[in-house]
């Protein structure tokens, strides 16, 4: 199967640049994966599409304000040129794997100051083979609190508009800091909608997968099986594993909110679908031919052409049906990608 098999034409003006005023006002394309039929709804209609006894699995990861703007510190201690550091992975002992700009100026030994007050400084300690850097940070207090003051949201590269309220790039249930990008399917939920869903007898369980920027990395290989999938850290708590097992045993549906929740439970599920509490790194790559062990339905946004995420969706609903639904969404002028509309595959 080739990467180009997952291409579709998307007019650039359909890429959503800002979130809607109300989260659940987004549109919802409902796709029946058995028949390929679709219907047009709104996200606040979701309760009417769920059944008592179903469960929703949500990713409670919180996006770090991981984009840091600073200046190089010259050998004489004076400030040098502007630079940027983007946090990717916590390696422990105040060392993070990061993307840096300009790379030619930020080699091993280079020092950086952020914020102009000296409360956060850094030193490049190693250049990695892929061009990323290992960076050791020095600060006073709690690192996450320093980041909240000095950091900016690392919006995807296709969003050019400035985000006015950075909480709009967080889900209302975000809890565990660690992501470099939002689990965007969850952005459509309001607290009121969650309460309405729970009141009708639908249970909600949480997993944590810290989304890496690899989620935006294009598939460059001609054959999808040659693609080197990125790794992300994820956790399934005991209560979530037990909820999934009870739901399956009683005939309810396990519906994941977002591809990150899907990848988490499918990574650790046994072949018979049984789930245990677990934490670890996953690089699961789901594409057509994959047999889902747990998942019954998926709530997700519309994904980039030729991306690993549209391949995952195609594994669930069939490539031809997914591409036909995407073409319909384009015709109907849906909003695409992170701040765009949603799709419910059932």
């Amino acid at each position: 199967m080739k990467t180009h098999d997952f291409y579709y034409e998307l007019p650039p003006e359909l890429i959503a640049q800002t979130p809607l005023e109300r989260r659940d006002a987004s549109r919802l394309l409902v796709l029946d994966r058995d028949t390929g039929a679709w219907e047009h709804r709104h996200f606040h209609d979701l309760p009417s599409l769920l059944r008592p006894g179903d469960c929703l699995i949500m990713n409670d990861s919180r996006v770090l304000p991981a984009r840091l703007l600073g200046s190089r510190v010259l050998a004489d201690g004076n400030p040098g040129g502007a630079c940027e550091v983007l946090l990717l992975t916590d390696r422990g002992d105040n060392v993070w794997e990061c993307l840096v700009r300009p790379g030619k100026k930020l080699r091993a030994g280079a020092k950086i100051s952020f914020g102009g007050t000296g409360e956060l400084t850094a030193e490049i300690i190693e250049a990695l083979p892929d061009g990323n850097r290992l960076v050791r940070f020095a600060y006073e207090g709690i690192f996450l609190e320093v980041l909240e003051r000095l950091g900016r949201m690392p919006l995807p590269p296709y969003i050019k508009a400035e985000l006015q309220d950075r909480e709009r790039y967080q889900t209302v249930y975000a809890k565990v800091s660690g992501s470099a990008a939002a689990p965007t399917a969850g952005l459509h939920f309001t607290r009121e909608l969650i309460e309405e869903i729970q009141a009708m007898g639908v249970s909600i369980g949480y997993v944590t997968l810290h989304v890496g920027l690899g989620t935006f990395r294009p598939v460059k290989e001609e054959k999808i099986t040659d693609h080197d999938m990125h790794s992300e850290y994820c956790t399934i708590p005991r209560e979530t594993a037990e909820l999934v097992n009870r739901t399956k045993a009683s005939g309810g549906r396990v519906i994941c909110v977002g591809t990150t929740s899907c990848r988490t439970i499918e990574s650790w599920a046994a072949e018979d679908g049984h789930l245990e509490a677990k934490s670890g790194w996953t690089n699961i790559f789901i594409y057509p031919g994959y047999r889902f062990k747990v998942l019954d339905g998926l709530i997700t946004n519309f994904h980039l052409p030729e991306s690993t995420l549209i391949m995952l969706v195609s594994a669930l609903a069939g490539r031809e049906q997914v591409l036909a639904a995407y073409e319909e969404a384009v015709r109907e002028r849906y909003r695409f990608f992170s701040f765009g509309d949603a799709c419910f595959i059932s």
Side-chain angles (χ1 to χ4, degrees), residues 89-100:
T89 306
D90 185 356
R91 294 292 193 91
D93 296 326
N94 297 326
V95 174
W96 284 73
E97 183 176 341
C98 302
L99 288 172
V100 301

Side-chain angles (χ1 to χ4, degrees), residues 65-72 82-88 96-102 106 111-114 120 122-124 133-137 143 147 150-152 154 213:
R67 183 172 171 238
L68 291 164
L69 305 181
S71 58
R72 292 182 292 114
C83 61
E84 181 176 332
V85 174
L86 184 63
L87 305 178
L88 297 179
W96 284 73
E97 183 176 341
C98 302
L99 288 172
V100 301
R101 291 194 304 180
L106 296 173
K111 295 182 179 179
I112 308 168
S113 180
F114 303 97
L120 180 63
E123 180 179 355
I124 309 295
R133 303 290 194 270
L134 293 184
V135 182
R136 177 175 285 115
F137 290 90
F143 187 57
L147 277 184
L150 300 181
R152 299 186 181 187
L213 290 181

Side-chain angles (χ1 to χ4, degrees), residues 17-19 155 161-169 339:
Q17 294 295 311
T18 56
L155 294 178
E162 193 72 27
L163 183 62
Q164 299 303 312
D165 176 7
R166 65 186 191 182
E167 281 302 307
R168 289 307 308 272
Y169 196 55
F339 285 140

Side-chain angles (χ1 to χ4, degrees), residues 231-249:
S231 294
E232 294 163 313
Y233 192 81
C234 59
T235 299
I236 300 174
R238 177 184 52 80
E239 56 269 25
T240 300
E242 292 175 351
L243 170 62
V244 167
N245 294 335
R246 286 198 309 271
T247 301
K248 299 295 281 189

Side-chain angles (χ1 to χ4, degrees), residues 107-157:
R107 296 182 173 135
K111 295 182 179 179
I112 308 168
S113 180
F114 303 97
T117 63
E119 68 172 312
L120 180 63
T121 59
E123 180 179 355
I124 309 295
I125 60 175
E126 185 181 342
L128 300 176
D130 61 2
N132 292 350
R133 303 290 194 270
L134 293 184
V135 182
R136 177 175 285 115
F137 290 90
Y139 53 90
E140 293 185 4
I142 299 172
F143 187 57
L144 290 180
E145 293 180 356
V146 175
L147 277 184
E148 289 292 338
R149 290 193 295 274
L150 300 181
R152 299 186 181 187
M153 279 296 176
L155 294 178

Side-chain angles (χ1 to χ4, degrees), residues 313-334:
V313 172
S314 297
L316 180 63
R319 184 183 70 88
E320 293 82 4
Q321 292 185 166
V322 166
L323 291 178
Y326 272 54
E327 290 172 4
E328 170 70 3
V330 169
R331 282 193 296 269
E332 293 295 321
R333 311 295 289 177
Y334 274 62

